Amino acid sequence: MQNDGKDLHPRSRQGPLHQDPTATAAAPHQLSKPAYLLSVEETLRELNANPDNGLTVEEATARLGVVGLNVLESGGGISPIRILAGQIFNAMVLVLIMGMVVSFSIKSWIEAGVVTSVVVINVVVGFFQEYSAEKTMDSLRSLSSPTAAVIRNGQVITVRSADIAPGDIVEVKTGDTIPADLRLIEAMNFEADEALLTGESLPVAKQVDIVFKEEDEVGVGDRINIAYASSTVTKGRAKGVVVQTAMTTEIGKIAQSLRGGDSKVRKVRRTDEGHAKFQYYLEAGALTFADQVGRFLGTNVGTPLQRKLSWLAIFLFLIAVVFAIICVAANGFKKEQAVILYAVGTGLSMIPASLVVVLTITMAVGTKIMVSRNVIVRKLDSLEALGAVTNICSDKTGTLTQGKMVVKKAWVAAEGTFAVSETNTPIDPTAAQISLDKSMPHEVAKIPKTQAQIQAESPWRNAIDFIESGYVQHYLNIATFCNIATVSKRDDSEEWDARGDPTEIAIQVFASRFDWNRKKFTHSENPSWSQIAEYPFDSDVKRMSVIYREYGGNPEKGYNEWAFMKGAVERVLDACTHIQLKDNKVPLDEEWTRTVIKNMEALASQGLRVLALASREWVDHVEEWGSHPRADVERDMTFCGLIGLYDPPRPETAGAVKNCHRAGINVHMLTGDHPQTARSIAADVGIIPKNINSLSPDVISSMVMTAAQFDRLSDAEIDDLPVLPLVIARCAPSSKVRMVEALHRRKKFVAMTGDGVNDSPALKRSDVGIGMGMAGSDVAKDASDIVLTDDNFASILNAIEEGRRTFDNIKKFVLHLLAENIAQACTLLIGLAFKDASGLSVFPLAPVEILWIIMITSGFPAFGLGMEIASDDTMFRPPHDVKVGIFTTEVLVDMAVYGVYMAALCLASFMLVVFGFGDGQLGSNCNDRYSQSCELVFRARSTTFTCLTWFALILAWEMVHMRRSFFRMEGKPERPWTLWARNVWRNQFLFWSVFAGFVTVFPIIYIPGLNTIVFKHRPIYWEWGIVFLESALFVAGIELWKFCKRVYFRHFGEKVKNPEIELGGSTFSRYASFATSEVTDPDSRQVDPASQV
């Protein structure tokens, strides 16, 4: 059956869909039989894999070189044909094509040839630029692909799923996506959702030791010793060896069979009876056609900004048609070649042909820069949205802090308080000493002592000196066994390795200081302990429990069984009924509960993360632990003590938080830690004021809430708060969702970090979901918009700065391009008034001149503006309004002012040459060819063309900053007199684009034939005086306009609302009034609470 089941679908649970055609070929690392028919030992031996140390990096690389990357061949990827079609079938190029067709139809061969060349160049250049951008984006997308934890050279490292090779040892936990087909070698309460593969809605419980026989004819869904690629871990944890990758996995076989099945045809609606009416077919056909047109024009693909600019292109296309009609109408609808050429030129003047391509390149460059700043953009929409973020909701551990925990204090209720000395090697158990104070932590905190007193009363000693106490041993049993981290010494050196969660590593290191490492008891030749069951840590229950068997303890059974628990103090206390003291075990009454809480708060006030440890002897017999209820285990526990871990803030976090505040971004800490711990860290990094202890208790309680306090409030009560909490401790996933919703009701734009499976709803609800690349689950990363590769809060600030930079640059080049279009269109439309002796309008700019300005003069400087670095005031401005987008009132007004001003100067230059210094004669048929009577018109046209070209190039440099003077682009420069030169040279692509634009004017004007026949203008001489004068006037006009803008925005513009300043002032009084009185000040009601967040 196994070999003949190629026609069976996997969901039949009766075998594979088809056999790999290369399965019979001798391949490296190929198993003698399918992995589910082999034992763990056989599989490891045939794959030459080590379950403890994994493959070496060199061996993994070599195997990848043979079998290829672990990726499914989608058959898609970058489509050159699609990119080429997108370059041709967009509104802007269609206008050029229409101009080309019209030019050919009226036999204006020169204009037709030039327009054809422009179309070809625009399509070819655009194709290669977008193809390059797509390749860049594709390579960046691969960085955001799922990752996996593999053991290489004895250490757990995170690699791309694509880089996994046969024989790799992979560790997976709840929330992970399984990267390849694995033969399980270890599993604890492990279940996986295989609905994608088998269609079964329920997760499948896996077993390691079972080995099937070939005659069993076991279907895919019943091979419970295999974890399949693309399935999701729903429960527990496991370790497995990779047996199949890429298209040889079971999911790869399905992908092979389904390739090409993606249809872009709309489905036909049907009635409740399943019938399709004739009009439903028409509707589906019309919608499918509309979809295809939208794809061609770009109005229903890409990011919101790309779609908006595609609609802008269509709008400009319609404007171009209208302007062309106006030109023809102004000349009495005469079918003269000159009239039609004028109409073509006016239509072309409205087309920023390079706009969409520049946008694509700018966004590709932005995402590439993001990678260098430890941020991977998964969805391009977020690149536009980052600059609008007003509030960041961040986790603490590993994001605001270093995630390198070390146990500093441990309270064993039956013995006293242990302290750990300072160490520079936190994972080396031999690198620190231990002291013991017989007092409880809150008693130690009450009586200040000098270091000499502490040393005299509690001298530092080796941890092994304290191990004789049975109470300490039992405490260490909980610490080492209720823990899945591994700490071990390397075989080839004196260094130590640690694998696992930072919290559990720190606890395992603490136990190892007493020579109480878990491996000593579970991995020896005759293990004295073995694990029976595990209930992993969950962000809802906030605790973890395990069942362990101790051999030799009970004469009747030959063993004892214990339930060990660790977790958040309140949650562990909920499960406890007794507390273990020195002499006996006593009930955990209210007085002892208050004492435990006092001790916890004493440790938390030192900035320590505090966990509780508890246990009970397990006497019940359980047949199947996989289905045994967790609640039955986590009850009637005996409280044994507390453990305090210190996770220092990252050095850069405080500066990043301050910079967020300067940028008008408020930071909220949503953490699972105790309120005292959270408050201490929040004060250290500047999320709350450092002088918070000097404030009244009601103010403090309003600024720092627990999730229970926050969740007790109704939505209306949350909305009535003058300020939302800056710190929410003991935060649950549901509290994160409520926080996002509360901020949304206040019209805030929210970024939310998350790493766990349960964080996915909050990540999706937020405007920008931020996944953790190192500690985050695949489910959380899949729900996020961007991923931090270093899990560092400062990288969020980097992402926001880069988002603002990209958004600013897009505004700059859009303003630059459209202002030129307005200038050209106004010049030509007003120029309709210039009529020759025959009554036909004489265009101030020839069609070829217009095309030159559109393609060369505008296009390359626009690319340069897209590459501009962030200005020094980028993070001192308020977040932009995402609903308004790039077309702000400022941009629209600037566009009109710059466009009209350029048009006025261009018309002035034309009129000065013709009417001011000339005789006012416009010649005859000067739109078509040069003659002696057209000398004046051709010289005036040349002057106008030069002026507009130089204006466009000057405008590009002026757009480097939309408000600051070109001569002072920085706020406080060191050498202000040479600042403009440094700024000009800083962006060399923009510099050379502008320089080339200035220089290429001369051959266009002076090369015989090229000037009069193609561009329809003549060389100029004294007219250069007009060009220089008007260029100076243009610079002066823009500088004056920018000066007026600076004055206006200084008095009336939106100011940055720095939370530090607001929290230092009236906000506290609002907190106090809210907390102490139900009477609301009528004046305070008039303040928008949203403005205070």
Side-chain angles (χ1 to χ4, degrees), residues 468-516:
E468 293 180 0
S469 167
Y471 298 116
V472 173
Q473 292 181 16
H474 189 71
Y475 178 94
L476 293 173
N477 282 341
I478 306 171
T480 196
F481 293 134
C482 193
N483 191 320
I484 61 174
T486 301
V487 176
S488 59
K489 194 174 184 180
R490 292 186 183 178
D491 296 332
D492 56 350
S493 69
E494 294 298 313
E495 295 182 0
W496 289 76
D497 286 330
R499 300 203 298 262
D501 177 80
T503 300
E504 297 205 323
I505 288 174
I507 296 174
Q508 192 65 246
V509 169
F510 178 74
S512 299
R513 297 188 193 282
F514 296 83
D515 193 26
W516 220 256

Side-chain angles (χ1 to χ4, degrees), residues 262-329:
D262 183 22
S263 175
K264 293 183 174 64
V265 178
R266 290 284 191 108
K267 291 184 177 180
V268 179
R269 278 200 301 152
R270 297 186 179 276
T271 63
D272 294 338
E273 293 78 23
H275 302 299
K277 298 179 181 179
F278 177 70
Q279 59 265 35
Y280 292 170
Y281 285 99
L282 292 178
E283 177 188 63
L287 290 173
T288 300
F289 177 75
D291 289 344
Q292 295 300 326
V293 172
R295 287 190 183 92
F296 273 130
L297 298 179
T299 57
N300 59 4
V301 293
T303 69
L305 180 57
Q306 288 173 324
R307 294 194 294 269
K308 188 178 291 186
L309 290 183
S310 295
W311 280 112
L312 172 66
I314 295 172
F315 173 73
L316 293 178
F317 170 80
L318 297 176
I319 293 293
V321 173
V322 171
F323 282 2
I325 294 173
I326 291 173
C327 291
V328 176

Side-chain angles (χ1 to χ4, degrees), residues 59-117:
E59 175 65 16
T61 303
R63 295 189 183 193
L64 273 174
V66 175
V67 301
L69 292 177
N70 177 36
V71 293
L72 298 181
E73 299 170 4
S74 61
I78 301 173
S79 170
I81 295 177
R82 180 188 59 79
I83 295 174
L84 183 62
Q87 292 298 316
I88 297 173
F89 295 99
N90 68 71
M92 299 190 186
V93 175
L94 288 176
V95 172
L96 295 174
I97 293 174
M98 287 177 60
M100 177 186 71
V101 172
V102 171
S103 300
F104 274 116
S105 65
I106 63 174
K107 299 181 180 179
S108 180
W109 307 119
I110 293 176
E111 282 75 9
V114 171
V115 176
T116 303
S117 301

Side-chain angles (χ1 to χ4, degrees), residues 411-416 440 475 579-582 592 639-642:
W411 175 48
V412 182
E415 289 290 344
M440 289 187 283
Y475 178 94
I579 179 170
Q580 181 66 58
L581 301 179
K582 180 72 172 178
W592 269 113
F639 178 85
C640 295
L642 302 175

